Amino acid sequence: MSNEFHKEESHNAVALLFASCKIEHMFKERSGLRYVVVKDKEENRLAGMLSSAGNLAASFSEHQRSAIACVAIAKSEEEYVAMSLGAMQIKPQGIAICAGCLAQAIATCEENLAVLKDIQEATKKYAA
């Protein structure tokens, strides 16, 4: 368990522990974060939202990777091998875009944003 977050500014985090997992005692010993134990319907609702957010993030990443690609043509077979192995930096010479994949990536991102907003709204009462 890490108390580190992605930005340098201070955070006012609270952990929401699911009662069915029975980890409160271990969490209390290992973490300095504030926490609340959520039960029953609230636990199921939050777990469902977190699962959806994770699945949507993975789907977004997949769509984004297939939507946009760098065009880089090696000047020789040796250069191609070096680029493929990561031994030589690829210098973009253009970009290939699949409009359909990009549209799917954007739609998935928007859906994930909606789920994250739902999580934010559902957890506001615990963050105070």
Side-chain angles (χ1 to χ4, degrees):
M1 173 73 217
S2 171
N3 291 341
E4 299 297 318
F5 289 86
H6 297 291
K7 295 185 179 176
E8 293 179 16
E9 62 207 39
S10 64
H11 295 273
N12 186 22
V14 60
L16 305 178
L17 308 179
F18 297 148
S20 65
C21 296
K22 299 178 171 108
I23 63 163
E24 181 179 3
H25 181 69
M26 288 187 298
F27 186 85
K28 193 175 194 177
E29 289 177 354
R30 298 177 188 179
S31 175
L33 284 178
R34 292 181 308 123
Y35 70 91
V36 175
V37 177
V38 293
K39 302 175 184 178
D40 305 323
K41 288 181 182 178
E42 186 71 359
E43 176 181 337
N44 291 335
R45 188 168 80 104
L46 288 171
M49 285 191 283
L50 291 173
S51 178
S52 290
N55 291 339
L56 287 166
S59 180
F60 167 72
S61 180
E62 183 180 314
H63 288 308
Q64 184 180 12
R65 276 194 310 273
S66 63
I68 302 171
C70 169
V71 173
I73 299 174
K75 295 179 179 142
S76 67
E77 192 169 324
E78 292 80 19
E79 190 176 85
Y80 170 77
V81 171
M83 284 183 193
S84 298
L85 295 174
M88 181 178 178
Q89 184 177 359
I90 297 172
K91 293 181 183 172
Q93 299 163 334
I95 188 168
I97 301 170
C98 172
C101 293
L102 189 56
Q104 286 179 321
I106 292 168
T108 304
C109 184
E110 289 171 344
E111 189 176 353
N112 197 26
L113 183 59
V115 171
L116 292 174
K117 285 181 179 181
D118 288 346
I119 293 169
Q120 180 184 39
E121 194 58 39
T123 59
K124 275 184 182 177
K125 63 183 172 188
Y126 301 111

